[in-house]
């Protein structure tokens, strides 16, 4: 299927830490807590610039919580920009099958769900999400062009993508990723089943998205890479 060009959509940035061999978690898909304090600060700084962040249900299940801005400086920065203290936290789940007892629902952040008509039914009588966005196709899957147009209309102009690899791959296929921030951490995870920043079926090299390097920072033992996407598969 050819990717769709969505004009009215948020600007998107993938923000992920990975091992030196390109893994965002181990083969058990454990929470990726191998980043340093500097990487955590970097993540908070990037998230603080966003109107919302998007992540898959698998990522939420792994971590049980989401990133919350705690830095007084970043909170003040958002206030000066006329933004609420916390960006909107958007969980993606076509099935809607998410444990309502996760600690995530006790965090003082806005909780949104992006799902299908079928997925919404699981939450009709269950509290947890303040807003449920329905964007599906005829196969009970997320319609990404519809979803991103709806998010933009709801005031989300800058969107951070926090994983996992399947979500990032889906968005790449639809031309919906603009930038990457990748932190390379000094460890080797290995494993053919360990997730990467973009999983899915993959791209042939001739039509793979090409990146332009915008910025490189080395802090301690970690390297921070900032990329802009140049071309997407036709």
């Amino acid at each position: 299927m050819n990717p769709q060009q969505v004009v009215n959509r948020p600007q998107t940035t993938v923000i992920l830490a990975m091992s030196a061999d390109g893994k965002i978690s181990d083969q058990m898909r454990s929470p990726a807590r191998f980043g340093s304090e500097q990487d955590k600060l970097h993540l908070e700084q990037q998230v603080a610039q966003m109107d919302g962040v998007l992540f898959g249900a698998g990522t939420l299940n792994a971590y049980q919580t989401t990133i919350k801005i705690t830095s007084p400086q970043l909170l003040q920065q958002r206030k000066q920009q006329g933004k609420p203290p916390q960006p909107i936290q958007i969980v993606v789940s076509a099935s809607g099958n998410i444990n309502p007892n996760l600690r995530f629902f006790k965090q003082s952040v806005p909780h949104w769900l992006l799902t299908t008509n079928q997925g919404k039914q699981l939450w009709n009588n269950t509290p947890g999400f303040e807003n449920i966005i329905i964007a599906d196709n005829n196969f009970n899957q997320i319609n990404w062009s519809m979803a991103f147009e709806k998010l933009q209309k709801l005031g989300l102009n800058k969107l951070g993508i926090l994983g996992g690899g399947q979500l990032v791959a889906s968005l790449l296929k639809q031309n919906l990723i603009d930038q990457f921030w990748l932190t390379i951490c000094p460890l080797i995870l290995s494993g053919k089943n360990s997730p990467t920043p973009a999983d899915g079926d993959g791209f042939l090299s001739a039509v793979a998205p090409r990146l332009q390097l915008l910025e490189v920072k080395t802090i301690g033992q970690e390297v921070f890479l900032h990329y802009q996407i140049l071309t997407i598969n036709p």
Side-chain angles (χ1 to χ4, degrees):
M1 183 178 69
N2 290 329
Q4 303 175 27
Q5 186 67 31
V6 183
V7 177
N8 297 318
R9 66 166 179 86
Q11 293 298 300
T12 56
T13 302
V14 175
I15 313 162
L16 290 172
M18 65 183 188
S19 63
D21 59 329
K23 307 295 185 179
I24 60 173
S25 181
D26 58 30
Q27 61 184 353
M28 299 301 293
R29 297 183 180 266
S30 307
R33 305 193 191 279
F34 45 74
S36 69
E37 288 300 318
Q38 186 60 45
D39 176 58
K40 294 176 186 176
L41 175 61
H42 168 79
L43 174 60
E44 188 173 346
Q45 289 171 336
Q46 296 305 314
V47 168
Q49 300 177 35
M50 305 298 167
D51 299 310
V53 293
L54 188 73
F55 47 92
T59 298
L60 177 59
N61 286 333
Y63 287 90
Q64 307 286 305
T65 60
T66 189
I67 180 172
K68 183 179 177 183
I69 298 172
T70 59
S71 163
Q73 292 82 6
L74 294 176
L75 290 169
Q76 180 63 26
Q77 172 185 302
R78 286 182 64 85
K79 183 177 180 180
Q80 292 172 346
Q81 295 171 348
K83 298 179 183 290
Q86 302 295 328
I88 294 167
Q89 306 283 333
I90 309 165
V91 185
V92 181
S93 174
S95 70
N97 188 14
I98 300 166
N99 182 356
N101 298 315
L102 293 175
R103 285 183 291 154
F104 167 71
F105 293 105
K106 295 181 173 60
Q107 290 183 281
S108 54
V109 297
H111 309 84
W112 286 18
L113 174 64
L114 175 58
T115 189
T116 61
N117 279 288
Q118 180 177 311
K120 181 182 182 297
Q121 294 178 12
L122 294 181
W123 292 91
N124 284 338
N125 300 307
T126 304
F129 290 106
E130 293 86 42
N131 194 8
I132 298 178
I133 301 166
I134 298 172
D136 58 5
N137 56 24
N138 295 327
F139 304 99
N140 288 316
Q141 298 171 330
I142 299 294
N143 181 320
W144 286 112
S145 58
M146 179 192 301
F148 273 47
E149 287 175 356
K150 285 188 174 185
L151 291 175
Q152 199 273 338
K153 288 179 180 178
L154 289 168
L156 280 74
N157 294 312
K158 295 187 69 175
L159 191 64
I161 313 297
L162 306 184
Q166 291 282 352
L167 172 60
V168 174
S170 296
L171 297 179
L172 278 172
K173 290 282 187 181
Q174 295 297 320
N175 291 355
L176 294 173
I177 300 294
D178 299 304
Q179 297 187 11
F180 276 85
W181 263 113
L182 297 173
T183 304
I184 302 179
C185 302
L187 79 163
I188 301 289
L189 288 174
S190 189
K192 63 180 181 180
N193 296 320
S194 301
T196 70
D199 286 332
D201 296 330
F203 296 95
L204 295 176
S205 60
V207 294
R210 296 302 198 259
L211 306 176
Q212 178 184 3
L213 185 62
L214 300 178
E215 185 179 356
V216 180
K217 297 189 296 184
T218 303
I219 304 176
Q221 297 295 310
E222 293 171 328
V223 181
F224 298 82
L225 302 174
H226 188 194
Y227 289 104
Q228 174 87 33
I229 291 205
L230 286 181
T231 60
I232 303 293
N233 55 314

